[in-house]
Amino acid sequence: MKISEASVRQLRTMSGGMATYAPVSSGILSRLVDEVEEGGPVAQALAEHPDAGAPLFCMRALSGVRWLVLSGLAPDLEAHLRNLTSGIGDPTYVEQTWLLFRDAMLKNPGEIRAALDRPIQQHQPGRAAALLSGLGMLGAPRVRLLELGACAGLNLLVDRYRWFGPDWEWGDADSPVRLATDGRNPGDIRIVERAGCDLVPRDPADPADSLIVRSFLPPERDIEQLELDDALTLASRFGVQVDKADAVEWLEAKLSAVEEDRSIYTVVWHSLFWSYLDPQQQTQIERLLSRAACKRKVARVSFEPHEWETAPRLQITVYS
């Protein structure tokens, strides 16, 4: 299956956006897209994959090579990346990184194929800041939190982190995960139930799954890597529930199983997930939420881009 022209355009735009926070990775993505357009061994391996037409498919290749580095299977690239900070802004360093990246892909076809088979799961605890802001806007003191596309369940632990706002703190004071955010104090929120679903959930207590989750962070994001490691450790202790399930079927069961309790707000949360659904699935979820609102308080908090190449936006939808 050919990588579509629309996907190439999205990746070019994404590469440009990454230049501000992951400049070397931005250059690698740009050169990878060049290779896709020009042909060659790497391009052929990507185009032959059955998911090649999926959104942002080439990002799987970036995570696959990052997985090789984290696993110790790309020692030359790993050694080269130790000088990453000093190489930022140096075109020669970026070019050398690309050559080592390309070499690692070609030398490890089995591992790269496995990475291409995996869905994109960019999963950082800091993204829960959008959820926290949404919960604060709802002003719901008791929340039943359901996450679609929950991956390892890190966002479900929003109240288990310690948050530092402009003039306030919130969350577990003893949490190893300590995150800065902005906006106003979310106030009193008690999560009385939490659960998530994912087609490919990741177990934070499983070293192999944790490594996959870590592989989706660019090497430039060292602070976020430390936060992610702490969050995975916390999640492995907490044992958050993430079911392997289709989002529509799972949500229908969850909304049907609970008895009416007007003191609890059911909040369905998702981030960088909605565009992976087809229009029919999106409509089904909207209908489920609308029907459920006849019996209980229901809201949807989402942090999604309008299009893949645009910045995500926080939206709070209250169903009544």
Side-chain angles (χ1 to χ4, degrees):
M1 180 180 292
K2 182 181 179 181
I3 297 173
S4 69
E5 292 183 5
S7 182
V8 168
R9 287 196 301 271
Q10 290 169 352
L11 290 164
R12 291 257 184 233
T13 303
M14 180 167 285
S15 172
M18 289 171 61
T20 58
Y21 65 88
V24 175
S25 296
S26 168
I28 299 307
L29 180 57
S30 177
R31 284 160 176 76
L32 181 60
V33 177
D34 288 343
E35 177 117 341
V36 166
E37 291 189 310
E38 296 167 4
V42 168
Q44 184 176 354
L46 294 174
E48 288 175 351
H49 195 278
D51 291 344
L56 308 182
F57 173 71
C58 290
M59 296 296 292
R60 301 187 193 185
L62 263 67
S63 110
V65 174
R66 181 67 180 149
W67 184 93
L68 291 174
V69 171
L70 294 173
S71 301
L73 297 177
D76 292 342
L77 179 56
E78 181 181 7
H80 176 75
L81 289 174
R82 293 185 192 128
N83 298 316
L84 178 65
T85 301
S86 60
I88 290 176
D90 181 356
T92 302
Y93 182 85
V94 175
E95 185 61 30
Q96 184 61 29
T97 308
W98 160 246
L99 294 175
L100 291 169
F101 174 98
R102 189 174 182 274
D103 186 61
M105 279 193 69
L106 296 175
K107 286 183 176 178
N108 297 275
E111 289 79 5
I112 292 299
R113 172 65 191 218
L116 296 178
D117 290 342
R118 295 193 285 263
I120 296 172
Q121 292 177 307
Q122 296 171 316
H123 195 48
Q124 297 89 49
R127 196 185 302 164
L131 170 60
L132 182 62
S133 180
L135 293 176
M137 292 179 194
L138 281 174
R142 301 179 71 209
V143 170
R144 181 185 187 224
L145 183 59
L146 307 176
E147 183 177 10
L148 309 179
C151 189
L154 303 186
N155 286 196
L156 290 167
L157 298 176
V158 59
D159 59 330
R160 303 291 174 172
Y161 303 151
R162 188 63 173 176
W163 297 93
F164 296 87
D167 56 0
W168 53 267
E169 297 181 21
W170 190 93
D172 184 352
D174 297 323
S175 177
V177 183
R178 311 179 77 77
L179 301 164
T181 187
D182 52 17
R184 64 184 185 183
N185 191 324
D188 294 330
I189 301 171
R190 180 183 167 214
I191 298 178
V192 300
E193 181 186 347
R194 69 191 86 211
C197 72
D198 201 291
L199 289 176
V200 189
R202 300 296 175 191
D203 180 359
D206 183 335
D209 274 354
S210 292
L211 192 66
I212 289 171
V213 173
R214 294 173 64 211
S215 73
F216 284 96
L217 260 181
E220 295 95 327
R221 310 309 293 169
D222 51 351
I223 300 300
E224 285 92 337
Q225 188 70 73
L226 294 173
E227 294 171 348
L228 176 59
D229 290 345
D230 287 341
L232 287 167
T233 299
L234 180 65
S236 68
R237 295 203 308 262
F238 189 76
V240 66
Q241 176 189 348
V242 179
D243 299 319
K244 180 179 174 62
D246 169 81
V248 176
E249 295 175 359
W250 181 85
L251 185 59
E252 182 174 20
K254 286 293 181 182
L255 293 177
S256 300
V258 68
E259 295 182 2
E260 179 181 350
D261 186 340
R262 301 298 295 184
S263 70
I264 297 176
Y265 227 123
T266 295
V267 176
V268 176
W269 153 253
H270 55 84
S271 59
L272 305 188
F273 162 81
W274 194 247
S275 294
Y276 287 111
L277 302 177
D278 62 43
Q280 182 180 1
Q281 291 172 308
Q282 294 174 353
T283 299
Q284 287 175 307
I285 289 174
E286 287 288 353
R287 288 174 178 168
L288 285 172
L289 294 171
S290 296
R291 287 202 300 266
C294 296
K295 297 181 179 181
R296 61 188 64 87
K297 295 179 180 178
V298 178
R300 179 159 69 100
V301 177
S302 62
F303 189 59
E304 303 282 358
H306 175 63
E307 297 176 329
W308 279 120
E309 58 266 36
T310 61
R313 57 190 181 185
L314 174 64
Q315 292 186 302
I316 299 97
T317 305
V318 177
Y319 297 80
S320 60

